[in-house]
Amino acid sequence: MPASYAYLGPEGTFTEVALRTLPEVATRELIPYVSVQSALDAVRAGEAEAAFVPIENSVEGGITTTLDELVAGTPLTIYREVLLSITFALLVRPGTRLSEIKSVTAHPAAQPQVRNWLKKHLPDVVWESAASNADGARLVQEGRYDAAFAGEFAAARYGLEALETGIHDAENAQTRFVLVGRPARPAAPTGADKTSIVVWQRDDHPGGLRDLLGEFATRGVNLMLLQSRPTGAGIGNYCFCIDAEGHISDRRVAETLMGLKRVCLQVRFLGSYPRADAGPTEVRKPLPGTSDEEFTSAADWVTRCQDGRF
């Protein structure tokens, strides 16, 4: 397989900046793609070793385009994640004044992060979505729009200037990016890991979601993301994208997945991988019976019972 990483392009995206924080990129060819879908499809087709795409931000939650692509199609696996602090600049063609801006563009995920700034400074502006923030900068360069919200670093790449910088509605806003490849054995647990899955209910019934969440709660597995996504099978039909603390090799996480596999129509494993914040996996106390040692002890007891060694 080619030693290359696909990523959401064009050049100058926050995705590219986050990707370049990975040490191995020095030995990879980095190839920009026009969309999350095309970057992931490059991996599925064997045109790239892995794809690097945004999956969540701290303002709006999960990025639906990426979640939907991981839910559907040939299975892929998440191997790494990166957190990047996000602040925007308003990029314009040189000489443009704020009063002259009638249209702006950026990736859809950017709008909730600058909504209040727009309301205060450009209340009558027309917003149009772009495939990425850097693509929005390119469209401004071409004269399609008056301004784009993007990283200040993209200005020089597209011959623009930053009319305003440090734009954000939420302090300490972050976007989470993931490195996605074809299915393979997860890396060894680090003690600060995350497991991602997608689950489909067998049927819609009162307490159905509670039943799913109970598989985590009774084993002391903490959830970090829970987002419903429509299945396309009609109104009211949803699957659930879930991130949980821990690694599939942890007994309590493995037993949670087994429990879900028994009661759900389908479970898609998206990977166990190191947490970008390096936060250690913790079991809420007091909650007896949820440590790996207790799960191992219980399994050994069942084995002894089966062998007649009470």
Side-chain angles (χ1 to χ4, degrees), residues 11-230:
E11 295 178 0
T13 58
F14 286 110
T15 306
E16 182 187 8
V17 172
L19 173 58
R20 291 188 179 278
T21 67
L22 298 180
E24 70 266 26
V25 299
T27 61
R28 302 293 194 278
E29 179 186 7
L30 306 185
I31 305 175
Y33 282 78
V34 297
S35 67
V36 169
Q37 180 182 26
S38 60
L40 295 178
D41 283 346
V43 178
R44 289 183 169 116
E47 298 169 1
E49 177 184 354
F52 194 76
V53 294
I55 195 170
E56 181 186 6
N57 71 65
S58 59
V59 177
E60 283 289 284
I63 294 175
T64 56
T65 301
T66 302
L67 293 176
D68 290 346
E69 285 300 316
L70 294 176
V71 166
T74 305
L76 294 170
T77 299
I78 299 172
Y79 293 105
R80 298 274 294 279
E81 68 173 12
V82 172
L83 294 176
L84 183 72
S85 296
I86 301 293
T87 184
F88 292 91
L90 186 67
L91 304 187
V92 298
R93 292 181 294 277
T96 301
R97 297 192 298 269
L98 194 65
S99 60
E100 298 172 330
I101 297 175
K102 305 301 180 185
S103 61
V104 297
T105 186
H107 188 275
Q111 188 176 24
Q113 302 180 63
V114 299
R115 185 183 293 125
N116 293 333
W117 190 94
L118 273 175
K119 183 178 180 180
K120 180 179 179 180
H121 298 280
L122 293 170
D124 300 319
V125 76
V126 175
W127 174 282
E128 295 286 349
S129 294
S132 68
N133 297 313
D135 190 55
R138 180 185 64 81
L139 295 173
V140 172
Q141 180 190 45
E142 294 177 355
R144 300 262 304 270
Y145 301 101
D146 298 326
F149 287 102
E152 185 177 359
F153 47 80
R157 172 65 180 79
Y158 293 99
L160 305 176
E161 64 180 25
L163 187 61
E164 300 280 349
T165 60
I167 300 171
H168 51 75
D169 288 350
E171 293 287 342
N172 304 315
Q174 290 183 310
T175 294
R176 173 179 160 233
F177 301 85
V178 289
L179 185 68
V180 181
R182 299 172 79 175
R185 180 183 295 273
T190 66
D193 301 292
K194 180 182 292 184
T195 293
S196 297
I197 60 172
V198 186
V199 299
W200 287 258
Q201 293 176 282
R202 290 189 183 276
D203 56 70
D204 185 21
H205 62 274
L209 179 57
R210 182 199 62 188
D211 294 342
L212 298 182
L213 298 182
E215 298 291 339
F216 295 92
T218 58
R219 297 172 177 88
V221 178
N222 186 46
L223 298 188
M224 306 181 74
L225 173 73
L226 173 64
Q227 183 155 338
S228 62
R229 297 301 305 147

